[in-house]
Structure formats: C-alpha cells, structure tokens
Amino acid sequence: MKKGWLYVIAVLVVIIGAIGMYNLKMYTIERAVLNHLITEENIPEDRIIMTEGFIANLPGERNWMVVVKLKEEEKTYYFYKDKNDQVILESYVLYGYESVYPDGM
C-alpha cells in the first residue's frame, strides 16, 4: 500500500515539475521579447497589444516562440530567443501571407 502511494506522489511531483518548467520557460521568453521590443526597438509599451508564448513545433530554440501584435499595424510578428539569449524576429504575417527571415533580422 505504501509503495502505491509513493509511486502516485512521485508521478505527481514529476508532472507538477514539468508544468512548472514549461511555465517558467514561457514566462522568461515572453519577458525577454517584451524587454527587447521596449529597450532595443524603442517601441512604447502602450503600443504592444499582445505577447503570447507558444510551442511552434520547429527545431531547436525556434520551438519556443512568442507572437506579438502591435497597435495600428496589420502585421503579426513571431520572435524567439536563440541559444545566445538574443531575441530574433523569425517571421511576420501580413494579410495571411507569411514572410520568414531565415537567419533572423
């Protein structure tokens, strides 16, 4: 009986840990992109409508992407953070057409 409970507790710890690591990774990438837009691209914070992290199903660091929507712009931007912690514009979508930057901008 005790082994069964220990097994259940161990599985719960692993699941909670995985969810926590996922949330931490998304939070840090979203904050890095937001910080990049405000400090390096000089975009006022009130122009940023939305930043949302998601898994893109792409290889390497491009798997962890952040979508950004700005006020008064039709484009939707997609950023990721490379292994050197640089925020890179991967692509943007305008009127349903995607433009991809092969090596970032």
Side-chain angles (χ1 to χ4, degrees):
M1 186 70 160
K2 286 185 179 183
K3 284 185 181 181
W5 282 108
L6 288 176
Y7 179 73
V8 169
I9 291 171
V11 168
L12 286 174
V13 166
V14 169
I15 290 172
I16 290 170
I19 291 170
M21 291 301 292
Y22 170 83
N23 287 336
L24 179 64
K25 178 87 172 178
M26 284 297 172
Y27 176 78
T28 57
I29 292 173
E30 287 175 16
R31 294 301 305 170
V33 169
L34 186 63
N35 187 43
H36 170 79
L37 293 174
I38 293 170
T39 59
E40 295 183 29
E41 300 295 328
N42 297 321
I43 297 173
E45 193 169 356
D46 61 342
R47 274 199 62 215
I48 301 170
I49 298 172
M50 175 190 73
T51 59
E52 184 177 337
F54 67 97
I55 294 180
N57 236 0
L58 294 172
E61 294 299 317
R62 291 182 184 205
N63 190 40
W64 302 89
M65 302 275 280
V66 176
V67 60
V68 175
K69 191 73 177 150
L70 301 175
K71 265 186 203 174
E72 302 168 1
E73 279 199 34
E74 296 295 324
K75 292 179 183 176
T76 302
Y77 299 95
Y78 295 89
F79 292 90
Y80 69 97
K81 193 166 85 168
D82 70 359
K83 58 186 170 189
N84 298 325
D85 286 339
Q86 289 184 314
V87 174
I88 298 174
L89 175 63
E90 195 268 343
S91 63
Y92 69 87
V93 175
L94 179 63
Y95 303 121
Y97 295 102
E98 182 177 26
S99 297
V100 178
Y101 295 100
D103 297 324
M105 247 180 103

